[in-house]
Amino acid sequence: MSNSQNPDIEPLSRIQILIAMAVTAIILFGVARLWLYLGDFQLRPISLTLADLGFGIALGLGLTGLSSIVYAAWGTYRESADFYLSLVLKPLAMPDVIWLGILPGLSEELLFRGVMLPALGLDPIGIVLSALCFGVLHMTNAQQWPYAAWATLVGILLGFTMVETGNLFIPIVAHVTNNFIAGLTWKLGQLKVKS
């Protein structure tokens, strides 16, 4: 699926994508901060241990592997993912993939697992509701429902991990790792296609 098949979405430039990532991260940080200020709860703890770093990286690699299986097996998801990744990644230079990992991984986890989840309840209902909101964030149009469904499932897994470990650092690392590896893999795949 290309942007020409969806005339509602104009391709963005590299600078526009980087600015959009930065602005989105600032907005998500702001919403999280405001919610913390107005709410009667605390940000989930962040414990920076080597074991937690390793667990987060392993979880992120597992999510990337699982995504590859879903990508290969489910054609509708593959089309949806290709559209989304093409829209976001195609204009970016290879070093920009670092920002693709860090900015969304940090800001989205801070809001959805660090603030929204405890506000909604550290239980299955809170996990699912915060994951649904996370999935909606990844839906650029109605045809993107498979990508949003996948993001919702990832949100459930990250939420469950945060609740079970009590450590927001693990889903942050997993999200950053997944975004970075998925982005890098997609960009390298595009280089192979061109050659």
Side-chain angles (χ1 to χ4, degrees), residues 53-87:
L53 176 66
F55 182 44
I57 291 171
L59 179 60
L61 292 173
L63 288 172
T64 305
L66 189 56
S67 176
S68 297
I69 293 168
V70 172
Y71 183 90
W74 184 16
T76 308
Y77 170 74
R78 183 173 41 258
E79 289 176 12
S80 180
D82 281 341
F83 173 78
Y84 185 85
L85 294 172
S86 178
L87 183 71

Side-chain angles (χ1 to χ4, degrees), residues 94 183-195:
M94 194 65 79
L184 188 61
T185 302
W186 193 89
K187 289 295 280 183
L188 291 173
Q190 292 303 300
L191 291 176
K192 284 183 184 179
V193 170
K194 289 179 183 179
S195 56

Side-chain angles (χ1 to χ4, degrees), residues 52-58 60 105 109 168-178:
D52 291 333
L53 176 66
F55 182 44
I57 291 171
E109 290 311 310
L168 183 58
F169 181 63
I170 295 170
I172 288 171
V173 171
H175 196 149
V176 169
T177 300
N178 178 66

